[in-house]
């Protein structure tokens, strides 16, 4: 997309397959913000990335009118605040509801992601423990979704928590295929399962999601390396 116009100069540094970059792309797409996507080489990081995020040297980085913003969920909240007059609104209007949304977005980063990474990397009992922890975390999110009585965590439309978890959907579903495990179960978490289907089919969301076939090849190769027996001396 062209990165300059009524929205100002907007650039996004990242890689298309990163779930954290996907979160930002979803937020930008929902808001209808034009931006320039600059594909990074993670093995050979650009000077622009290193200058824009000198602390962590990681993607994603949003550059708005020359000013960099780092960390995916911080960027998503920045997008909502910078373009707060553009619908849809990604954060609740009520301050208490905003705090609750931030809590569950942090829960996804602090609890859900590590447990799913453990399920992907682990084997045997270690993997089983990580799977159980992942399912327990997702069951909590099932109850949060149930409490809204709506299609999305954000209510009738996609909000902060939807983006936080939705950016992980392709990785989660690919992990399930690669490892032959079940994380989002239509029986145990029917609302979450229906939410995942609806989220991925949303017009502006599906264009921001990574290519599933390419992601499967990438994760399959990583899993094969993790499970390969060590070479004998």
């Amino acid at each position: 997309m062209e990165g300059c116009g009524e929205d100002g100069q907007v650039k996004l540094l990242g890689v298309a397959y990163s779930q954290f970059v996907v979160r930002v792309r979803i937020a930008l797409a929902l808001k209808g913000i034009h931006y320039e996507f600059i594909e990074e080489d993670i093995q050979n990081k650009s000077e622009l990335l290193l200058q824009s995020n000198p602390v962590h040297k990681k993607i994603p980085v949003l550059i708005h009118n020359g000013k960099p913003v780092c960390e995916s969920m911080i960027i998503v909240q920045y997008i909502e605040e910078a373009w707060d007059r553009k619908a849809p609104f990604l954060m609740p209007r009520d301050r208490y509801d905003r705090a609750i949304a931030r809590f569950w977005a942090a829960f996804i980063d602090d609890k859900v992601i590590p447990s799913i990474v453990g399920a992907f990397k682990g084997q045997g009992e270690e993997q089983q423990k990580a799977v159980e922890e992942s399912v327990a975390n997702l069951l909590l999110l099932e109850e949060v979704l149930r409490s809204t009585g709506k299609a999305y965590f954000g209510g009738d439309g996609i909000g902060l928590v939807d983006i936080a978890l939705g950016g992980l959907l392709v990785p989660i579903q690919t992990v399930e295929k690669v490892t032959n495990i079940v994380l989002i179960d239509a029986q145990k978490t029917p609302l979450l399962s229906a939410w995942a289907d609806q989220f991925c089919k949303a017009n502006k969301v599906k264009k921001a999601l990574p290519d599933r076939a390419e992601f499967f090849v990438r994760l399959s190769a990583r899993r094969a390396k993790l499970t390969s027996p060590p070479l004998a001396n």
Side-chain angles (χ1 to χ4, degrees):
M1 293 183 183
E2 182 59 43
C4 201
E6 64 176 13
D7 299 319
Q9 188 181 58
V10 185
K11 299 178 180 179
L12 175 61
L13 312 184
V15 293
Y17 61 82
S18 165
Q19 61 264 40
F20 303 109
V21 174
V22 168
R23 287 170 164 177
V24 179
R25 298 190 83 170
I26 290 170
L28 290 168
L30 289 170
K31 284 286 192 181
I33 298 166
H34 297 287
Y35 65 98
E36 178 186 357
F37 183 64
I38 301 175
E39 188 87 21
E40 281 288 331
D41 180 352
I42 300 303
Q43 304 304 319
N44 184 25
K45 297 175 182 178
S46 71
E47 281 301 314
L48 181 58
L49 174 59
L50 297 176
Q51 291 170 7
S52 301
N53 190 358
V55 176
H56 297 298
K57 303 177 176 64
K58 292 181 179 180
I59 54 169
V61 177
L62 183 81
I63 303 175
H64 183 207
N65 292 330
K67 297 179 180 179
V69 185
C70 307
E71 301 293 324
S72 65
M73 294 314 297
I74 292 175
I75 295 172
V76 171
Q77 292 177 68
Y78 174 84
I79 289 168
E80 174 61 16
E81 293 175 1
W83 291 278
D84 61 343
R85 295 185 180 182
K86 270 197 172 188
F89 303 116
L90 307 179
M91 298 281 288
R93 301 289 93 183
D94 179 80
R95 69 183 68 182
Y96 176 76
D97 291 339
R98 285 198 302 272
I100 296 302
R102 290 188 177 109
F103 173 87
W104 287 112
F107 171 80
I108 290 164
D109 278 353
D110 296 342
K111 295 292 186 180
V112 175
I113 292 177
S115 64
I116 291 173
V117 169
F120 172 68
K121 291 184 174 181
Q123 299 181 59
E125 290 184 8
E126 180 185 3
Q127 184 186 52
Q128 184 58 36
K129 182 178 179 182
V131 169
E132 290 172 358
E133 184 180 348
S134 298
V135 171
N137 289 332
L138 292 169
L139 281 168
L140 287 174
L141 291 173
E142 171 85 358
E143 291 309 310
V144 174
L145 188 56
R146 188 187 309 280
S147 70
T148 69
K150 303 286 186 177
Y152 294 106
F153 290 96
D156 293 320
I158 293 170
L160 186 75
V161 181
D162 298 283
I163 294 171
L165 187 59
L168 311 178
L169 278 176
V170 170
I172 289 172
Q173 292 165 351
T174 307
V175 166
E176 290 179 315
K177 290 181 179 179
V178 169
T179 59
N180 197 30
I181 60 176
V182 177
L183 296 171
I184 298 179
D185 189 336
Q187 299 299 318
K188 292 182 179 179
T189 52
L191 297 180
L192 204 57
S193 181
W195 165 85
D197 288 341
Q198 184 168 339
F199 184 88
C200 289
K201 290 175 182 175
N203 285 331
K204 292 184 177 180
V205 168
K206 58 186 177 184
K207 295 179 181 178
L209 297 177
D211 182 271
R212 290 177 182 272
E214 290 181 9
F215 206 87
F216 179 82
V217 170
R218 184 178 295 275
L219 279 199
S220 294
R222 287 182 61 188
R223 178 67 180 172
K225 287 182 179 179
L226 290 168
T227 55
S228 296
L231 295 174
N233 293 328

